[in-house]
Each structure stands twice: as C-alpha cells, then as structure tokens.
Amino acid sequence: MPDRKPTKREMTSARRKEAILAAAVTCFIENGYHQTGVRDIAKKADVSLGNLYNYFSGKADVLAEIARIERAELEPFLKILGKETPALDVLEEFIPAYTRFLAKPETVVLALEITLEAIREIEIADLFTESRNTLIAGIAAVLGRGAKEGSMRQMRSHPETAHLILEIMEGTAFRHGIEDVELKALLDNELEFIRAAIAA
C-alpha cells in the first residue's frame, strides 16, 4: 500500500513545529539555554504562546526534541563506523567527517551551551548521553576490530580510548570555532595524533 500523502494541515503543522525548533536553537545560541524562556522562543518563531504549547509542553520538551534530531543526524556517521572495510580506513574516514560536522559554528555554540547547562541539570545531560554512548560504542567496536586485524594496538579499554578520541574531535571543533584556526590544519594534526596513538 503506498504511503499516504500528508494533508495541507499536516504540512502546515510540521512547518510550524520546525519553525519553533529553529527559533529555539537560535535563542539558545544567542541568549543561552538558561536565559531563554518559552515566550522568547514563541516570539522568535512568530507564533502565539498557546500555539507553541500545542507542540511542546515547555522548554525542556523542546530540548528533548533537539536531542532526538541530533540522534538522527548521527546516522551517516554511524554508517561509516559500521563499514566492513579495514578498521584504520574506517576511522580515517569517520574522524574528519564527524569533526567537520562538530565544527559548524552553530553546532559549536549550541554544544558548548548545552554542555554548560548539563553541568547544572542532570536531566539535560541525560538527553544527550544516549547519542554520545552510541558513538563511543561504534568507535570502540572499530578499535576492537583494528586490534584483531593487527593494524591497531590492543588497548586496556576500547571504550575509554573511544571516549578520548571523541573528546579530541570535540576539542578540535571547539578550537576551530573559538580561535578561528584553519580546520584543515587542525584535522591533519588530529588524524596524525590519533593514528600515532592507536597504530600497532
């Protein structure tokens, strides 16, 4: 049975929800999560407060939806990690691709803002933990495969090494965003460092 075409009302509703989410991200970037109120989001989205509440129960609900979207955005990177090509080749494709994604200016600012807020509110940290753990598990699996192939060293803990690799990528992205250092040079150094750390 073919998929049903969405109605005009459903399409309008989906566009309005997207506008609210885009407005929320803009507000979080410009003013910070803590300083942003639901009224600010509604005003930025050009919707009434009541209309916003038709889609989201509050600011935390908006952030939960942003976390869900972030998980969906990870799919292309998880596909890279799932490739059956040599493990070292997989990491050498994944690391620059994911670092470029992290280094987008809006991603850097939003990630820093959410990290700061997550330190204050454990519930916010929990929203983004699942995505991070999925990535770490994927990187750890590649490291384990690389050790079996003989291209990578056997680590004391592949998940802990995966954590470190992810933190290096995040640090590279943040440095590019904050210091405006050329990303290509940072990526070259990042890859060289990680390669030297894990190669057999």
Side-chain angles (χ1 to χ4, degrees):
M1 185 175 169
D3 290 341
R4 181 180 67 82
K5 188 177 177 181
T7 65
K8 188 176 178 181
R9 181 176 179 157
E10 287 170 339
M11 288 190 295
T12 300
S13 179
R15 281 195 299 270
R16 189 170 291 131
K17 185 176 181 180
E18 286 173 15
I20 292 168
L21 287 167
V25 168
T26 301
C27 287
F28 296 159
I29 289 171
E30 290 177 353
N31 308 317
Y33 176 81
H34 198 66
Q35 291 78 18
T36 296
V38 180
R39 289 181 187 279
D40 301 315
I41 297 169
K43 184 177 178 183
K44 181 69 82 174
D46 198 24
V47 299
S48 70
L49 196 57
N51 206 329
L52 185 147
Y53 280 120
N54 286 334
Y55 296 92
F56 300 101
S57 62
K59 187 170 69 167
D61 193 28
V62 173
L63 194 64
E65 181 68 8
I66 291 169
R68 189 195 64 74
I69 292 167
E70 183 200 54
R71 284 194 290 275
E73 288 178 336
L74 292 182
E75 281 307 311
F77 306 108
L78 294 173
K79 281 185 180 175
I80 294 172
L81 290 172
K83 286 185 175 182
E84 293 300 320
T85 49
L88 203 52
D89 292 347
V90 170
L91 277 189
E92 293 202 357
E93 180 183 354
F94 168 76
I95 289 167
Y98 190 60
T99 305
R100 283 189 193 96
F101 169 75
L102 290 173
K104 292 189 289 186
E106 64 276 15
T107 306
V108 170
V109 176
L110 189 60
L112 287 170
E113 183 57 39
I114 289 169
T115 300
L116 287 171
E117 198 57 36
I119 292 167
R120 299 184 193 107
E121 299 283 341
I122 190 66
E123 294 84 10
I124 291 173
D126 290 344
L127 288 174
F128 293 88
T129 299
E130 184 184 338
S131 296
R132 187 177 179 80
N133 287 344
T134 302
L135 274 177
I136 288 166
I139 297 167
V142 174
L143 293 171
R145 191 158 62 82
K148 286 180 184 173
E149 292 170 357
S151 61
M152 299 181 196
R153 292 190 299 108
Q154 180 65 46
M155 304 293 171
R156 181 177 297 175
S157 168
H158 290 125
E160 284 303 315
T161 304
H163 264 282
L164 290 171
I165 290 171
L166 189 54
E167 286 165 5
I168 289 167
M169 288 189 284
E170 290 165 343
T172 298
F174 292 167
R175 186 170 173 216
H176 169 68
I178 294 167
E179 298 180 17
D180 198 28
V181 182
E182 183 193 3
L183 186 57
K184 186 185 181 313
L186 290 173
L187 283 171
D188 289 345
N189 288 330
E190 176 184 72
L191 267 174
E192 182 182 359
F193 179 82
I194 293 172
R195 200 182 291 126
I198 65 174

